[in-house]
Amino acid sequence: MMPAAGLQQAHADEPAARPQTTGGDVALAGAAAEQASGESLPDAPIADGVEFVSGGLSYRIAGDAAVLVGFENGAALEGAVVVPERVSDGSGTATVKAVEVAEGQVADKVTALALPQAVESVRTEGLAAALPALASIEVVAAAEGDGTAGSEGAAAKGAYSSVAGMLFRSAEGQASSDGEAFAEDALELVWAPPAMVVARIPLECKAIAAGAFVDAAALETVMSFGKMESIASAEKDGEGNVTKPGAFTDEQIGRLTIVVPGTNYAVTGEDAERVSGSVALSEKTDMLEKRKAWFHHGFDTGQIIMGAPFGEIEGVNAVSDEGVM
């Protein structure tokens, strides 16, 4: 039986449909307060290159968009930090579309970061150094008709999404191992937070990007529900030095446990009926297919637990107050 350590945040339910947001309620409350402030922002654009501070966060204008680059006073920030969709320097307004926290910027008491759905680019390198206590990152969709630009009607699909405190982007257009393009709802995992112990990768995730887990120093277990098609490998120079990180560090590859649940995991009610009637492959073939990418990435067969019912993994049935972690 696997040890309970590192499995306290996992669940016995089938991977849920991709949610819009899944982080702390504090972050969501902060976002709601930001939208409900009632403060009208000036309509004029902000000139390219202007640097300014708004709400304790530092921004730089690049083109017509605002880029989050740091903090006015990192020591004063704590708990959940919510980045609004639109920011103002007092004379104009810009939409926040990128996160590029500068080297040397540190806010070591921030535990959760909520980003607007308008964000199109996130530089994850150095994010853990800037926010060492960060436990989750969340993408918050603008509420319908809340007055922000483009919020009328149904929310548009964003470039990024969040599941279980991890950051994802669309994998649409990438190709699977058999050369076929991923489905429209396919996701690529791009970043996991430093304090994560169990990574619960949703069914829709088909790829793991370079550097995705390198900041997750506490990681012990990865649960992958779907068939992983692509896991980025490290690039090295002629002397064996890493020039570009892979999805995992060499140290992680040597010690992590990879759990690939089968169709026999514990589900109830309508889920059980649907799962039992949807098995197209034999259990053995299904597990071998799901294992391939992990095995080829360097994980030893002894590290990959295949087809284990959740009830046989100690601690796996624990459920958090927030549901999906």
Side-chain angles (χ1 to χ4, degrees):
M1 182 176 287
M2 289 178 61
L7 286 169
Q8 299 305 316
Q9 296 180 353
H11 303 273
D13 60 336
E14 187 186 18
R18 171 182 170 190
Q20 292 291 336
T21 59
T22 59
D25 291 336
V26 174
L28 288 176
E34 182 78 32
Q35 298 296 347
S37 64
E39 231 177 283
S40 66
L41 300 176
D43 292 331
I46 306 174
D48 184 27
V50 170
E51 297 182 359
F52 62 98
V53 172
S54 177
L57 303 178
S58 300
Y59 300 91
R60 181 186 72 251
I61 299 299
D64 62 352
V67 181
L68 173 63
V69 295
F71 323 108
E72 180 181 24
N73 180 5
L77 296 175
E78 59 181 290
V81 169
V82 177
V83 180
E85 182 172 339
R86 297 196 306 164
V87 291
S88 173
D89 68 346
S91 61
T93 305
T95 299
V96 180
K97 292 188 178 181
V99 177
E100 298 179 6
V101 179
E103 186 176 354
Q105 292 285 311
V106 178
D108 59 6
K109 295 189 287 294
V110 172
T111 57
L113 178 65
L115 302 176
Q117 196 175 41
V119 166
E120 299 172 352
S121 173
V122 179
R123 187 173 67 194
T124 57
E125 296 87 346
L127 197 56
L131 301 166
L134 195 65
S136 69
I137 192 166
E138 183 170 8
V139 178
V140 181
E144 182 177 341
D146 66 2
T148 58
S151 67
E152 298 80 7
K157 181 180 178 181
Y160 287 90
S161 61
S162 56
V163 180
M166 296 180 286
L167 187 65
F168 294 80
R169 63 188 170 207
S170 173
E172 185 180 0
Q174 295 189 37
S176 64
S177 56
D178 58 10
E180 293 189 12
F182 291 144
E184 183 180 352
D185 64 348
L187 298 176
E188 179 181 36
L189 172 58
V190 296
W191 189 78
M196 178 163 285
V197 177
V198 176
R200 190 175 188 272
I201 301 177
L203 192 67
E204 298 89 347
C205 182
K206 302 300 181 184
I208 304 177
F213 281 103
V214 297
D215 289 332
L219 192 67
E220 294 180 9
T221 304
V222 176
M223 301 186 71
S224 179
F225 289 89
K227 179 186 175 185
M228 192 60 59
E229 298 283 358
S230 173
I231 303 175
S233 297
E235 297 179 7
K236 300 181 179 181
D237 60 21
E239 298 180 354
N241 300 311
V242 175
T243 57
K244 183 179 180 180
F248 298 88
T249 65
D250 289 343
E251 186 270 340
Q252 288 172 324
I253 293 174
R255 67 171 175 80
L256 293 179
T257 297
I258 309 299
V259 179
V260 183
T263 54
N264 58 350
Y265 57 76
V267 291
T268 58
E270 294 180 2
D271 284 341
E273 183 177 348
R274 177 170 54 78
V275 169
S276 65
S278 65
V279 182
L281 298 173
S282 70
E283 187 73 11
K284 182 177 180 180
T285 301
D286 186 31
M287 291 302 97
L288 291 175
E289 285 296 313
K290 288 182 178 180
R291 187 190 71 169
K292 277 184 179 179
W294 300 100
F295 179 74
H296 288 304
H297 192 67
F299 291 99
D300 186 84
T301 53
Q303 296 172 264
I304 305 172
I305 310 301
M306 299 194 304
F310 283 104
E312 294 180 6
I313 304 175
E314 185 178 348
V316 81
N317 292 318
V319 178
S320 77
D321 292 336
E322 294 177 5
V324 178
M325 295 291 291

